[in-house]
Amino acid sequence: MRRLTSDEVRAHVPAPPERVYQLVSDVTRIPEWSPEVVRCTWLDGATGPAVGARFRATNKKRWFRWSNKPVVDVADAPREFAVTRTEPGGGSIRWTYLLSPDGTGTEVALRYDVLQPVPVGLHVVLRVLLGVRDLHDDLHANMETSLQRIAQIVASAAPVAD
């Protein structure tokens, strides 16, 4: 069983960094691309990406649902958006989108970094109850799917007027 440390996937997205940032930093839209997140809502009066803003993310894997309350760590438009989610019994993980202009669009890196280890017991529970054989591989596949869906969303969206 591999312990989580960090991982990153990259993709070219056919839109300028400003448009990609506008999408990925709108946490209410995460369910459009995430294989596990089914709902996100800003908390404590927050209405958009700002350092310190919190939101509730509701996730679903097969039959199991859970929520967490990530906090925005970085909101540097149009270059970087990062949030950290900490769960009792689930460790602490920072999720980051890094955006760079790339010819006809944006190179997007989606990564996670483990700040506090995910307990071994959670790996076992995920395997036994939800069929997740390797959490690293599961998250990696979800990240690849997320970037593919983000590319599809921005490719089908009308250009943003300047």
Side-chain angles (χ1 to χ4, degrees):
M1 177 180 338
R2 276 192 289 178
R3 296 299 301 267
L4 296 181
T5 55
S6 64
D7 194 12
E8 178 175 296
V9 296
R10 292 179 170 269
H12 177 81
V13 174
E18 294 78 9
R19 189 173 341 149
V20 178
Y21 181 87
Q22 187 177 35
L23 176 65
V24 301
S25 66
D26 182 354
V27 301
T28 64
R29 296 191 65 187
I30 292 173
E32 294 177 40
W33 63 82
S34 172
E36 286 188 4
V37 178
V38 296
R39 185 166 194 245
C40 285
T41 55
W42 290 109
L43 297 173
D44 307 323
T47 58
V51 172
R54 292 182 334 127
F55 60 97
R56 177 182 308 278
T58 302
N59 304 277
K60 182 178 180 189
K61 183 84 168 172
R62 293 175 57 183
W63 52 269
F64 185 69
R65 282 183 178 259
W66 71 99
S67 293
N68 55 60
K69 295 178 183 173
V71 177
V72 176
D73 293 323
V74 180
D76 183 16
R79 291 177 281 284
E80 181 177 357
F81 182 69
V83 302
T84 297
R85 76 103 189 110
T86 302
E87 295 181 61
S92 184
I93 299 176
R94 174 171 292 133
W95 291 91
T96 305
Y97 291 92
L98 297 168
L99 313 175
S100 333
D102 180 33
T104 59
T106 302
E107 175 79 11
V108 180
L110 171 55
R111 67 173 294 119
Y112 69 80
D113 294 284
V114 174
L115 307 177
Q116 293 176 339
V118 175
V120 172
L122 180 58
H123 288 268
V124 173
V125 167
L126 290 170
R127 185 175 194 153
V128 171
L129 295 179
L130 302 176
V132 176
R133 295 223 168 269
D134 184 308
L135 185 55
H136 177 276
D137 289 348
D138 188 66
L139 291 176
H140 188 88
N142 286 349
M143 292 162 58
E144 288 179 331
T145 297
S146 292
L147 286 188
Q148 290 167 1
R149 290 177 180 171
I150 287 167
Q152 291 168 350
I153 291 166
V154 298
S156 65
V160 176
D162 289 329

